[in-house]
Amino acid sequence: MLLEDFDYHLPEELIAQHPIEPRDASRLFVLPKGDGAFRHDHFYNIGNYLRPGDVLVINDTKVLPARIFGHKETGAVIELVLLNQVELNCWRTLVRPGKKAMPGTKLIFPGHDDITATIKDISDEGTRIVEFHYQGDFYKLLDAIGEMPLPPYIKEHLEDQGRYQPVYAREKGSAAAPTAGLHFTDDLLKSLEAQGVEIARVLLHVGLGTFRPVKVENILDHKMHKEYYEVTQEAADKINACKARGGRVISVGTTSTRTLETVATDDGIVVAGTGWTEAYIYPGYRFKVIDGLITNFHLPKSTLLMLVSALAGRERVLAAYAEAIKEKYRFFSFGDAMFIADMIDD
């Protein structure tokens, strides 16, 4: 399969620059698997497409304010985006400009004398290993000096940094938000549970893979970066019980999907555990766990678009994207949602 097979043209004005209010007022593109007609709705009606006994699987990772600006002794400014922790006080980091951030470079953060950093090494893909020296709680210091690492296609300033977190975000560790979760409100989650939909929580810290474009012509040659996951026994039990009773497992986002497909046995049993995944899902993949997916609209030629195409079919997904563009849906992180399921009641 070629990378160009997952390309499409998106008018720039359809790239959402800010989140919609309230969260669940975003539009919902309903894509039945198979040959059912596309439907257009709003996310606050997602309950109409879920059934009592379904399990909704959410990724409750929390985004770090991972974009920080350090200053060299010369006064030059270096931008850092923390990707993942590799050892005590050391983080794999995107650095701009890289030519001014060689190993041994020391950085200060004006106004914050209780934290400094040293660039230790150049690692894979041109990232840097950065060691932080600080007094006190690192995450509190990061809250003071950092900001949300919004994707480069978002040009507008985000006034409320919390809008780049799902309402259920729990454990800090991600370099980007699992954006399918941004559409949920607390009230919507409560209403879904009241109608008999169960919520299962998994964890995957979103890392370098989110920022890494596919550069190979043949997509089979692409390699994913490892990301840390956790699946509790409670979550595994909920999901396995759902499968046993004939319910549907609906994954919220590609990160939840990759986590479940990583820990599942070949016969679809979810096994609790922790580890690192580099699961790469593209057309031809046989899903072991999920029956449906809530997701956003993804970038052309991205591994996320490939995953969605694996679930619903490449041609059908591209046809859905063409209709979404025609209907002026909002795309990418702050954009509208899509629901894909293998069976949808009329």
Side-chain angles (χ1 to χ4, degrees):
M1 281 176 283
L2 300 179
L3 183 59
E4 65 185 21
D5 293 335
F6 299 89
D7 196 12
Y8 68 92
H9 173 69
L10 179 70
E12 187 173 352
E13 63 267 21
L14 296 184
I15 300 175
Q17 292 297 312
H18 54 82
I20 198 165
E21 294 293 345
R23 289 173 180 256
D24 59 359
S26 55
R27 295 171 73 186
L28 178 65
F29 191 110
V30 181
L31 173 59
K33 291 175 65 178
D35 57 1
F38 302 147
R39 305 184 191 181
H40 305 286
D41 209 326
H42 286 86
F43 198 82
Y44 48 69
N45 288 325
I46 188 66
N48 293 341
Y49 304 97
L50 301 175
R51 303 172 182 162
D54 285 349
V55 169
L56 202 63
V57 183
I58 61 176
N59 177 11
D60 62 3
T61 188
K62 194 170 188 177
V63 185
L64 293 167
R67 186 170 183 244
I68 59 179
F69 295 89
H71 291 242
K72 297 174 62 174
E73 294 177 350
T74 61
V77 177
I78 303 294
E79 178 186 0
L80 309 176
V81 178
L82 309 187
L83 297 174
N84 62 278
Q85 190 172 10
V86 294
E87 57 183 88
L88 184 63
N89 301 336
C90 291
W91 290 74
R92 187 184 313 277
T93 308
L94 289 176
V95 178
R96 302 185 188 91
K99 291 182 179 180
K100 295 184 179 181
M102 292 294 103
T105 301
K106 298 184 183 302
L107 301 174
I108 62 171
F109 303 92
H112 300 277
D113 296 335
D114 44 3
I115 182 169
T116 60
T118 303
I119 296 174
K120 290 184 62 178
D121 199 6
I122 299 176
S123 57
D124 62 317
E125 298 288 317
T127 60
R128 304 294 195 271
I129 302 299
V130 177
E131 181 176 13
F132 290 90
H133 318 275
Y134 57 90
Q135 297 176 345
D137 185 310
F138 176 73
Y139 291 106
K140 288 184 178 179
L141 292 169
L142 192 59
D143 285 338
I145 65 174
E147 58 185 59
M148 286 297 171
L150 296 180
Y153 50 75
I154 295 178
K155 310 298 183 184
E156 295 183 9
H157 176 70
L158 180 62
E159 293 292 338
D160 178 4
Q161 299 292 301
R163 284 299 275 108
Y164 195 56
Q165 304 274 19
V167 295
Y168 49 74
R170 176 181 58 87
E171 183 174 333
K172 289 182 178 179
S174 277
T179 54
L182 298 180
H183 305 282
F184 288 93
T185 65
D186 288 323
D187 287 343
L188 180 56
L189 287 168
K190 290 176 182 176
S191 71
L192 294 177
E193 290 184 289
Q195 77 177 55
V197 176
E198 291 191 78
I199 309 295
R201 293 171 174 260
V202 299
L203 175 77
L204 183 135
H205 286 323
V206 187
L208 180 61
T210 293
F211 298 93
R212 186 183 181 193
V214 180
K215 297 180 179 179
V216 294
E217 182 177 353
N218 185 338
I219 69 167
L220 302 183
D221 296 330
H222 179 70
K223 301 297 181 184
M224 298 288 285
H225 197 274
K226 293 180 179 179
E227 294 169 310
Y228 178 76
Y229 70 82
E230 295 179 2
V231 177
T232 65
Q233 190 62 55
E234 178 185 4
D237 289 346
K238 280 186 179 181
I239 296 164
N240 291 332
C242 174
K243 301 293 284 187
R245 66 176 175 258
R248 298 182 304 171
V249 175
I250 308 296
S251 181
V252 179
T254 59
T255 59
S256 298
T257 301
R258 292 177 60 241
T259 302
L260 293 179
E261 296 297 316
T262 294
V263 301
T265 63
D266 288 341
D267 54 358
I269 302 301
V270 173
V271 180
T274 64
W276 295 81
T277 181
E278 48 189 343
Y280 178 26
I281 297 174
Y282 48 83
Y285 179 85
R286 181 182 68 84
F287 287 88
K288 297 175 285 188
V289 182
I290 73 163
D291 301 295
L293 173 65
I294 295 170
T295 189
N296 280 23
F297 292 91
H298 302 296
L299 276 73
K301 300 182 178 181
S302 66
T303 60
L304 308 181
L305 182 57
M306 294 171 196
L307 184 153
V308 174
S309 298
L311 182 63
R314 183 186 67 86
E315 292 184 359
R316 184 155 171 81
V317 167
L318 291 177
Y321 272 49
E323 177 154 333
I325 291 170
K326 177 183 176 183
E327 297 296 326
K328 299 191 181 303
Y329 275 70
R330 302 165 74 247
F331 276 60
F332 305 161
S333 294
F334 287 144
D336 294 315
M338 174 178 281
F339 178 62
I340 304 170
D342 53 353
M343 43 186 174
I344 298 176
D345 290 335
D346 292 324

